[in-house]
């Protein structure tokens, strides 16, 4: 299963300062981690951006997704990262469910040197970079991130494996491009103007999603997906959850918080409220 979450470049448009914008992005990263998203894609909404746009959003999310032991080496000092101290820890578990301290734990490393005979030096959070042998047929370059399987820390026993990295990948891409990908699966637009997510609709939906691919898109506070895509909200409501013209590529428009008690729901709030039922299994 490939699970993709899409958020607009305008998602921190209501933040009062850079510190609050950074904290908000930390909760977005937390939601992506909690519900095991594979990709967190930032799509452009230039008209909705204010002080902090897509470049800031992407940078902070990429930083948050980087393991703490690699952040200094990968990022150094940047203006966008002034307040990253307020980011909540993600504590990403591997796809196998093992934690970073468990036997055979899987974690991320960065290649610092490519040597002869298929060996590379990798910084993977141990006391010093370690020299490891590449799996047959695998090629890497300096600065590339790789998955490391650690079976012992004292003495060090580790190997590079051709497995997906723990956590999620951050990308920037246009919304129609992401929705058209072969692994997009069921493509859902989360909007208060969509069809209410009832128990009956959820039962049918889980049957379509279970063990398949899933893509869920969110809007920004005060500027939902219909406004971002220049769609009439009445057309969205009248469609009863089905495709709305001009169609950007969604299969369903769903109101995942049908009893919304606030005039606006923040993106990070909508992510937690929406992804919980949408990731249920049969």
């Amino acid at each position: 299963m490939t699970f993709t979450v899409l958020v607009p470049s305008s998602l921190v448009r209501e933040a009062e300062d850079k510190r609050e914008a950074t904290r908000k992005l930390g909760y977005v990263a937390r939601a992506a981690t909690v519900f095991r998203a594979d990709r967190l894609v930032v799509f452009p909404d230039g008209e909705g951006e204010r002080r902090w746009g897509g470049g800031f959003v992407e940078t902070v999310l990429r930083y948050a997704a980087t393991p703490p032991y690699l952040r200094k080496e990968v990022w150094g000092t940047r203006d966008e990262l002034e307040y990253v101290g307020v980011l909540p820890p993600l504590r990403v578990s591997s796809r196998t469910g093992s934690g970073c301290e468990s036997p055979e734990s899987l974690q991320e490393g960065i290649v610092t040197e490519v040597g002869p005979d298929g060996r590379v030096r990798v910084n993977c959070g141990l006391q010093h970079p370690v020299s490891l042998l590449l799996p047959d047929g695998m090629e890497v370059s300096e600065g590339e991130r790789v998955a490391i399987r650690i079976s012992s820390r004292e003495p060090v026993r580790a190997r590079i494996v051709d497995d997906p990295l723990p956590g999620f990948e951050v990308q920037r891409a246009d919304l129609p491009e992401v929705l058209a990908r072969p692994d997009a699966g069921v493509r859902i637009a989360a909007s208060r103007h969509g069809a209410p997510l009832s128990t009956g609709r959820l039962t049918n939906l889980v049957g379509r999603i279970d063990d398949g691919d899933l893509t869920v898109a969110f809007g920004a506070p005060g500027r939902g997906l219909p406004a971002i895509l220049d769609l009439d909200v009445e057309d969205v409501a009248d469609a009863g959850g089905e495709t709305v013209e001009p169609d950007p590529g969604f299969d369903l428009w769903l109101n995942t918080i049908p009893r919304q008690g606030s005039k606006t729901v923040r993106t990070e709030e909508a992510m937690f409220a929406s992804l919980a039922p949408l990731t249920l299994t049969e």
Side-chain angles (χ1 to χ4, degrees), residues 144-158:
E144 188 170 343
R145 299 182 188 186
V146 292
I148 307 294
R149 183 75 67 180
I150 299 176
S151 55
S152 173
R153 294 173 181 267
E154 292 184 5
V156 174
R157 294 190 181 93

Side-chain angles (χ1 to χ4, degrees), residues 10 26 216 247:
S10 57
V216 185
D247 176 25

Side-chain angles (χ1 to χ4, degrees), residues 175-177 179-180 187 229 231 243-250 253:
L175 188 63
E177 173 192 337
L179 297 177
R187 299 159 297 184
L229 298 172
L231 298 173
T243 299
V244 182
E245 297 296 338
D247 176 25
F250 290 113
W253 285 76

